[in-house]
């Protein structure tokens, strides 16, 4: 059951100053089917003595209008191009949506995962079902809680920006709200530059081999995977891995790896084991890889468009479980290593010419939110004590943990019949 929230005001906020009146083409990476949805964050803040709620609300509202001057495409509207070859954004200063709300809930409600997937749904009162039907690309809802704390919930049209871009926007918005900087002092300076991923390169014979991009290929469903996720209730889970636990995992791999590599491999194995999948079922771990420094030349600072491609580790359940954590970690690491300039060009061509997308069968999708800077978004209420999704889903989020710089929180909803085993395997890091 969703928590009660009362909306006091919902208003469109246009850029505070005149902005260009034109139509901008979105890139091939912006236009791909995989990103045609709204991604949402929920940030929770403790009460602060002496804080003026009305003034804080007014400051955030005003800052949104100022932030939309350099980020003016986020005040536009996304639609299909007339030639059917991608998407575009109509920039007429239409505005982003700001919602001012109150709730009888307290900060303590957010100390663990929600009891059901959509318990916190009302803390972002507008959800765009179809991002191409004229909805505001950005929604910001500030909700004051009964104990003086607050939540800041945001929704971003994924066609216009990725996680890193949204994190930069929110930090700029916060700095403007508290008067830390003026518009001319915003860093990084937002950069459009979508032409860098606009035109697909000539077709290469290597792309005829589907194994070169397993993230876009389908595998047989040997176990009713898709019906299970459609029919069974998904249970939210949240487990924190501190530095000690991450180091224990690394020691089990017997070779050098990153925390992301080993933790994602551990989550993947725990998930597959808990679902009790057939040993010959092909499973994939699909995750976003930031390409800002992986393409040649590197993308300019402040590029807030979709600057990621999908890495994909793939194997059968038997090998994933029996060959141990080290093997799974190596698969993840190699999937990351494959992402370079040529790989990105192939992806641009694939999503442009074939409308390639990700199938759901046997797939665990993972997103690393702990690197987006969300833990530093301060609107005058201090840093958020909780950063996480609005609704738990089959997508796994790796988020930052308040006051623990080396810790990572794993948020994932799993079928209710598998939740106890999943948590058991996830917590058990004694063996590889």
């Amino acid at each position: 059951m969703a928590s009660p929230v009362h909306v006091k005001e919902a208003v469109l906020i246009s850029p505070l100053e005149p902005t260009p009146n034109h139509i901008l083409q979105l890139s091939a990476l912006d236009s791909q089917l995989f990103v045609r949805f709204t991604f949402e964050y929920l940030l929770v803040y403790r009460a602060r003595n002496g804080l003026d709620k009305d003034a804080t609300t007014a400051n955030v509202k005003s800052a949104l209008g100022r932030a939309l001057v350099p980020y003016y495409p986020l005040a536009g509207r996304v639609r299909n191009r007339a030639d059917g070859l991608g998407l575009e954004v109509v920039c007429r200063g239409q505005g982003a949506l700001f919602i001012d709300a109150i709730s009888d809930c307290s900060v303590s409600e957010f100390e663990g995962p929600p009891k059901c997937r959509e318990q916190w749904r009302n803390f972002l009162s507008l959800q765009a079902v179809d991002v191409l039907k004229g909805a505001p690309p950005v929604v910001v809802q500030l909700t004051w809680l009964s104990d003086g704390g607050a939540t800041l919930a945001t929704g971003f049209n994924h066609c216009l920006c990725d996680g890193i871009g949204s994190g930069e926007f929110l930090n700029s918005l916060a700095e403007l709200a508290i008067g830390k900087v003026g518009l001319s002092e915003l860093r990084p300076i937002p950069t459009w530059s979508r032409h860098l991923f606009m035109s697909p390169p000539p077709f290469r014979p290597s792309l005829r081999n589907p194994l070169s991009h397993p993230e876009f290929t389908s595998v047989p469903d040997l176990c009713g995977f898709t019906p299970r996720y459609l029919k069974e209730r998904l249970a939210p889970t949240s487990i924190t891995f501190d530095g000690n636990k991450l180091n224990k995992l690394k020691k089990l791999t017997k070779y050098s790896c990153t925390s992301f590599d080993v933790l994602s491999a551990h989550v993947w194995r725990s998930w597959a084991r808990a679902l009790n999948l057939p040993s010959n079922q092909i499973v994939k771990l699909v995750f976003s890889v930031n390409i800002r420094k992986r393409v040649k030349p590197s993308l300019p600072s402040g590029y807030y468009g979709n600057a990621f491609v999908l890495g994909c580790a793939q194997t059968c359940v038997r090998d994933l479980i029996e060959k141990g954590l080290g093997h799974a970690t190596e698969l993840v690491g190699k999937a990351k290593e494959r992402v370079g300039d040529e790989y990105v060009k192939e992806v641009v061509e694939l999503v442009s010419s074939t409308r390639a997308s990700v199938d759901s069968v046997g797939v665990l999708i993972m997103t690393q939110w702990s690197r987006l800077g969300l833990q530093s978004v301060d609107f005058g209420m201090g840093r958020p004590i909780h950063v996480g999704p609005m609704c738990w889903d089959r997508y796994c989020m790796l988020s930052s943990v308040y006051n623990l710089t080396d810790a990572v929180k794993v948020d994932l909803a799993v079928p209710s019949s598998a939740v106890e085993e999943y948590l058991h395997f996830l917590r058990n890091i004694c063996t590889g």
Side-chain angles (χ1 to χ4, degrees):
M1 182 175 180
S3 301
V5 174
H6 171 67
V7 173
K8 296 168 59 179
E9 178 188 43
V11 58
L12 282 173
I13 304 295
S14 298
L16 191 62
E17 300 173 6
T19 55
N21 189 327
H22 57 188
I23 297 175
L24 294 171
Q25 289 191 5
L26 291 168
S27 75
L29 296 183
D30 296 323
S31 299
Q32 59 186 313
L33 299 177
F34 182 69
V35 299
R36 297 187 184 188
F37 68 96
T38 299
F39 63 92
E40 302 166 335
Y41 304 130
L42 180 66
L43 281 60
V44 181
Y45 298 87
R46 286 201 183 110
R48 172 166 285 193
N49 291 334
L51 184 72
D52 187 326
K53 296 180 184 177
D54 291 339
T56 301
T57 300
N59 289 340
V60 175
K61 184 177 176 180
S62 172
L64 183 57
R66 283 179 285 157
L68 289 174
V69 175
Y71 283 99
Y72 71 90
L74 297 185
R77 298 293 183 266
V78 179
R79 68 183 186 188
N80 282 299
R81 284 166 48 184
D83 59 13
L85 297 179
L87 304 178
E88 61 190 15
V89 54
V90 181
C91 301
R92 302 281 187 264
Q94 298 95 318
L97 184 65
F98 178 79
I99 302 172
D100 177 16
I102 57 174
S103 173
D104 290 335
C105 297
S106 64
V107 168
S108 61
E109 175 169 336
F110 305 94
E111 290 177 351
K115 295 180 178 63
C116 62
R117 290 181 52 243
E118 298 202 345
Q119 181 177 342
W120 302 334
R121 174 75 275 172
N122 291 339
F123 288 92
L124 189 63
S125 300
L126 177 69
Q127 301 89 44
V129 177
D130 189 337
V131 297
L132 305 183
K133 294 293 186 180
V138 175
V139 180
V140 177
Q141 179 168 327
L142 180 58
T143 304
W144 292 101
L145 306 176
S146 60
D147 59 356
T151 66
L152 188 99
T154 60
F156 288 88
N157 185 329
H158 210 330
C159 302
L160 279 173
C161 64
D162 64 4
I164 290 176
S166 67
E168 291 174 351
F169 174 82
L170 287 175
N171 275 286
S172 293
L173 178 63
E175 291 183 343
L176 289 169
I178 62 176
K180 185 177 180 179
V181 298
L183 273 181
S184 62
E185 303 166 297
L186 283 183
R187 296 294 182 273
I189 299 171
T191 303
W192 186 252
S193 300
R194 306 299 169 101
H195 65 281
L196 296 173
F197 299 120
M198 194 69 70
S199 301
F203 187 83
R204 279 172 298 280
S206 63
L207 294 186
R208 298 184 188 279
N209 179 8
L211 297 179
S212 62
H213 286 275
E215 68 274 24
F216 296 135
T217 60
S218 300
V219 300
D221 187 349
L222 305 180
C223 55
F225 185 93
T226 299
R228 182 177 183 181
Y229 267 92
L230 291 174
K231 296 177 181 178
E232 193 169 341
R233 181 180 65 86
L234 298 183
T237 69
S238 184
I239 298 293
T240 295
F241 287 79
D242 60 19
N244 289 332
K245 292 179 180 177
L246 292 172
N247 285 333
K248 287 181 180 178
L249 286 173
K250 288 180 180 179
K251 288 178 182 178
L252 293 173
T253 67
K254 298 181 175 59
Y255 80 102
S256 178
C257 62
T258 68
S259 294
F260 172 82
D261 294 352
V262 71
L263 180 57
S264 58
H266 179 55
V267 173
W268 187 26
R269 295 182 74 235
S270 300
W271 170 83
R273 294 172 75 183
L275 291 178
N276 196 26
L277 302 174
S279 61
N280 59 339
Q281 174 67 57
I282 299 297
V283 289
K284 304 177 188 179
L285 179 71
V286 175
F287 53 93
S288 56
V289 180
N290 177 16
I291 60 173
R292 285 166 171 79
K293 302 296 184 183
R294 291 175 179 259
V295 293
K296 299 177 182 178
S298 299
L299 296 184
S301 174
Y303 185 92
Y304 61 95
N306 286 287
F308 75 93
V309 297
L310 299 175
C312 180
Q314 174 175 298
T315 187
C316 67
V317 169
R318 181 190 301 107
D319 287 349
L320 180 63
I321 294 173
E322 294 181 359
K323 291 187 177 181
L325 180 62
H327 174 69
T329 304
E330 187 176 14
L331 291 177
V332 176
K334 287 182 177 179
K336 278 200 321 188
E337 290 172 5
R338 285 197 294 269
V339 178
D341 189 59
E342 184 68 15
Y343 186 97
V344 173
K345 289 177 181 177
E346 292 175 0
V347 171
V348 169
E349 179 175 327
L350 280 168
V351 300
S352 299
S353 59
T354 67
R355 298 174 70 82
S357 191
V358 179
D359 188 42
S360 61
V361 174
V363 173
L364 176 63
I365 296 176
M366 183 165 291
T367 302
Q368 192 174 18
W369 283 10
S370 56
R371 298 291 182 89
L372 305 184
L374 300 176
Q375 70 278 3
S376 63
V377 177
D378 180 0
F379 289 88
M381 299 176 279
R383 293 184 295 110
I385 63 167
H386 166 85
V387 175
M390 286 299 311
C391 296
W392 260 243
D393 211 328
R394 58 185 294 176
Y395 307 107
C396 182
M397 310 296 182
L398 304 184
S399 304
S400 57
V401 181
Y402 181 67
N403 275 352
L404 290 176
T405 56
D406 60 349
V408 179
K409 183 173 54 175
V410 180
D411 295 334
L412 176 65
V414 296
S416 55
S417 62
V419 66
E420 290 187 11
E421 282 196 292
Y422 167 73
L423 291 175
H424 168 74
F425 291 133
L426 198 63
R427 289 172 174 143
N428 180 14
I429 57 176
C430 297
T431 61

